[in-house]
Amino acid sequence: IATIEDEAEYQDTKYACQRRTPLKHHNKIFTDALEVLEKNADYTGGDQDYSRALAFRRASASLKSLPHTVTSMRDVANLKDIGKHCKDVIREILEKGYSTEIEDIKSSEWFKTIQLFVGIYGCGPATARKWYNMGYRTLEDIKKSTTIHLTADQRNGIRFYDDLQTPVIRREAEAIRNFIIEEIKEISNDFTVVITGGFIRGKDSGHDVDLLMSHPDNGKEKGVLQKLITNLKQKNLLLECSLQANTFHKESLKSPKHYKSSMLDHFEKSLSIFRLEKSMVDKYTSCGGASKTTEKVQGGKSCSSNTKSDDYILKHTDSFDLPKDRTWRAVRVDFVVCPQSQYGYALLGWVGSKMFNRSIRLYADRELGMMLSSHGLYDRINQQYIPASSEQEIFEHLKLTWIEHEDRNC
Ligand code: DCP
Ligand code: MG
């Protein structure tokens, strides 16, 4: 039951980052419908569709933070960010329990096929549409095609399709984190490894595991990820991985281009597919899972510098089939390394959600003339960088009330 304070808080806000958006909210039937409209616009892909997708997402975020259930159109009259199209959908759901438009979209061959194809790791809406227009409708069609040239990501995306479509559960994420902590002890002491993304916002499952890694001494984080990846490859634990170097320059914080081109950040990172042995889940979740390694390194392992990143990527001639009696599953894991001086900003960015980030960045820009990214904050008016050692400090700089991680699910 919503309190007067909850209602007042909702009424007071213009941006999603100013209000609490819990995971479990009161209007799922409506937000599920709006998410179909958002996906549909996103799959369609034009500039206008991008704006439409965003509008549906904003409407959905508004309903998610509403402290009560919408039961009549009167409840919707003064809601934030709900346009005519959304209102029509809500009205129909209120009257009939479903929306004809949403049901039509969900059952259309086009939508179902694009949804199937964008589920392939490495395949975005543009590629999915291209394949659809070439007449392909199933994964089998894609596998058999002799005209499509699949990228390495897409070949693995198809090979591990079922695994990667199966949500990663919290226990699996924790096992991977704890295992990685053990592995890093071989390379560097005092490293911290934190699970971010959906799990830190309280979700029980997600599409991947996002690990933010750092060292308390600024600069000492350098080189560790490369060694970690080399070691994991030697142990045959990576089915695929890319290693991206850090490309951040402080000056770029001032450049509007930095904010436009990079919803994603410039940290050193590896977007990988991890081979999770099922036995690992029990082994690495029973130990309690400290989030910090403190033991001293007993002689770090050597790292060969000529490791190719495509060691485990399928060759074009390899089969898509996996062994039937597997003892492992494939899990998408993002490893991200940030220097301590940017940790608060990096954490804020990797906690998300994507919509929360969009909202807080827009708020900083429009309301305060400040540019916020996962690397820092730049005050355009006073022309200075604003350092922060924690997320709390960033909220203070932005004159925002603190929002807990589990209330950033917009
Ligand atoms: N992120 C972002 N913009 C992107 C990608 C990511 O701001 N284009 C940030 C916000 C996300 C976080 O990184 O919350 C992690 O990205 P994920 O795509 O893994 O999103 P989630 O972890 O929130 O969802 P899921 O539970 O499905 O993994
Ligand atoms: Mg995630």
Side-chain angles (χ1 to χ4, degrees):
I1 296 167
T3 63
I4 292 170
E5 287 79 13
D6 288 340
E7 296 285 350
E9 178 190 298
Y10 176 86
Q11 291 306 334
D12 250 9
T13 58
K14 182 167 161 199
Y15 299 86
C17 64
Q18 294 171 305
R19 54 187 187 244
R20 285 172 289 154
T21 312
L23 200 56
K24 291 205 174 70
H25 59 87
H26 306 277
N27 292 292
K28 192 165 182 321
I29 185 169
F30 307 110
T31 57
D32 283 352
L34 296 182
E35 272 160 28
V36 173
L37 290 177
E38 181 196 346
K39 269 189 193 169
N40 192 48
D42 194 34
Y43 294 169
T44 309
D47 282 349
Q48 275 191 348
D49 300 305
Y50 176 78
S51 312
R52 280 174 52 227
L54 212 56
F56 292 131
R57 164 116 319 225
R58 268 199 301 272
S60 175
S62 174
L63 285 162
K64 283 179 184 174
S65 62
L66 192 67
H68 61 261
T69 306
V70 167
T71 54
S72 77
M73 285 315 281
R74 246 179 310 146
D75 290 334
V76 189
N78 298 317
L79 281 195
K80 283 167 227 312
D81 298 325
I82 316 259
K84 182 181 178 310
H85 192 159
C86 295
K87 280 188 179 144
D88 290 344
V89 170
I90 293 170
R91 183 180 300 107
E92 203 185 344
I93 294 176
L94 283 170
E95 285 166 7
K96 298 198 287 196
Y98 64 90
S99 144
T100 326
E101 186 189 3
I102 307 299
E103 296 311 311
D104 287 349
I105 292 173
K106 283 204 291 192
S107 60
S108 82
E109 186 180 30
W110 183 84
F111 184 81
K112 284 197 285 195
T113 311
I114 303 294
Q115 174 131 296
L116 175 80
F117 290 165
V118 297
I120 300 171
Y121 178 51
C123 175
T127 306
R129 285 196 304 273
K130 192 174 83 188
W131 292 348
Y132 183 90
N133 293 337
M134 289 164 84
Y136 299 117
R137 296 292 180 269
T138 65
L139 292 186
E140 282 308 311
D141 293 346
I142 306 289
K143 284 184 196 173
K144 280 192 292 208
S145 164
T146 50
T147 35
I148 295 179
H149 183 79
L150 294 171
T151 65
D153 279 354
Q154 291 162 354
R155 290 188 72 76
N156 278 329
I158 292 173
R159 191 183 199 199
F160 302 119
Y161 192 87
D162 291 339
D163 277 14
L164 299 184
Q165 284 292 310
T166 306
V168 188
I169 58 170
R170 181 176 291 276
R171 252 165 66 76
E172 291 172 321
E174 281 173 0
I176 292 172
R177 194 269 312 259
N178 294 342
F179 171 77
I180 294 298
I181 286 174
E182 291 298 312
E183 285 293 301
I184 289 186
K185 281 185 193 170
E186 307 267 321
I187 303 162
S188 163
N189 56 350
D190 270 348
F191 234 74
T192 58
V193 181
V194 176
I195 302 174
T196 59
F199 287 109
I200 205 174
R201 300 197 310 273
K203 284 171 69 177
D204 291 327
S205 63
H207 93 284
D208 68 354
V209 182
D210 304 294
L211 297 177
L212 182 62
M213 304 160 42
S214 192
H215 193 286
D217 297 336
N218 209 41
K220 284 205 178 159
E221 76 287 351
K222 282 181 193 151
V224 173
L225 182 61
Q226 199 170 358
K227 288 182 187 164
L228 173 71
I229 295 297
T230 303
N231 291 353
L232 294 178
K233 277 183 179 174
Q234 273 169 5
K235 294 182 177 174
N236 203 10
L237 289 173
L238 292 180
L239 298 157
E240 178 181 323
C241 92
S242 65
L243 193 60
Q244 300 168 24
N246 185 319
T247 55
F248 174 71
H249 302 289
K250 197 175 177 189
E251 279 300 297
S252 68
L253 271 183
K254 289 185 197 172
S255 151
K257 220 174 102 198
H258 171 78
Y259 300 88
K260 287 220 175 76
S261 63
S262 62
M263 274 306 278
L264 254 183
D265 54 57
H266 299 273
F267 292 120
E268 183 185 14
K269 63 170 74 67
S270 171
L271 311 182
S272 72
I273 303 177
F274 189 83
R275 196 172 67 95
L276 178 64
E277 282 292 341
K278 287 175 183 152
S279 61
M280 240 187 194
V281 180
D282 284 333
K283 187 170 169 201
Y284 287 92
T285 46
S286 51
C287 60
S291 67
K292 220 172 173 188
T293 61
T294 46
E295 287 98 309
K296 290 269 176 277
V297 180
Q298 305 289 324
K301 281 195 175 171
S302 68
C303 159
S304 72
S305 56
N306 60 352
T307 319
K308 287 197 218 91
S309 66
D310 59 357
D311 281 356
Y312 295 96
I313 290 174
L314 283 189
K315 308 288 178 300
H316 212 74
T317 47
D318 287 348
S319 139
F320 286 103
D321 299 332
L322 296 172
K324 288 225 159 43
D325 49 356
R326 286 188 290 148
T327 55
W328 54 271
R329 68 162 290 192
V331 176
R332 279 268 302 106
V333 180
D334 289 344
F335 300 92
V336 183
V337 179
C338 81
Q340 194 58 38
S341 59
Q342 295 170 24
Y343 188 79
Y345 291 104
L347 182 60
L348 179 66
W350 277 87
V351 168
S353 65
K354 272 172 216 162
M355 180 64 193
F356 187 86
N357 287 347
R358 199 175 282 128
S359 152
I360 196 169
R361 288 168 194 195
L362 194 69
Y363 162 88
D365 181 35
R366 296 247 175 99
E367 304 297 322
L368 307 172
M370 292 186 186
M371 312 217 278
L372 172 69
S373 79
S374 293
H375 296 274
L377 184 62
Y378 180 72
D379 180 340
R380 269 192 275 119
I381 295 155
N382 298 308
Q383 301 190 358
Q384 59 185 18
Y385 302 105
I386 305 179
S389 57
S390 67
E391 284 187 292
Q392 279 81 356
E393 257 184 56
I394 302 169
F395 276 73
E396 281 165 27
H397 290 315
L398 295 175
K399 302 178 176 67
L400 282 173
T401 312
W402 172 249
I403 306 282
E404 298 289 350
H405 293 156
E406 51 270 35
D407 288 325
R408 300 185 198 168
N409 285 294
C410 38

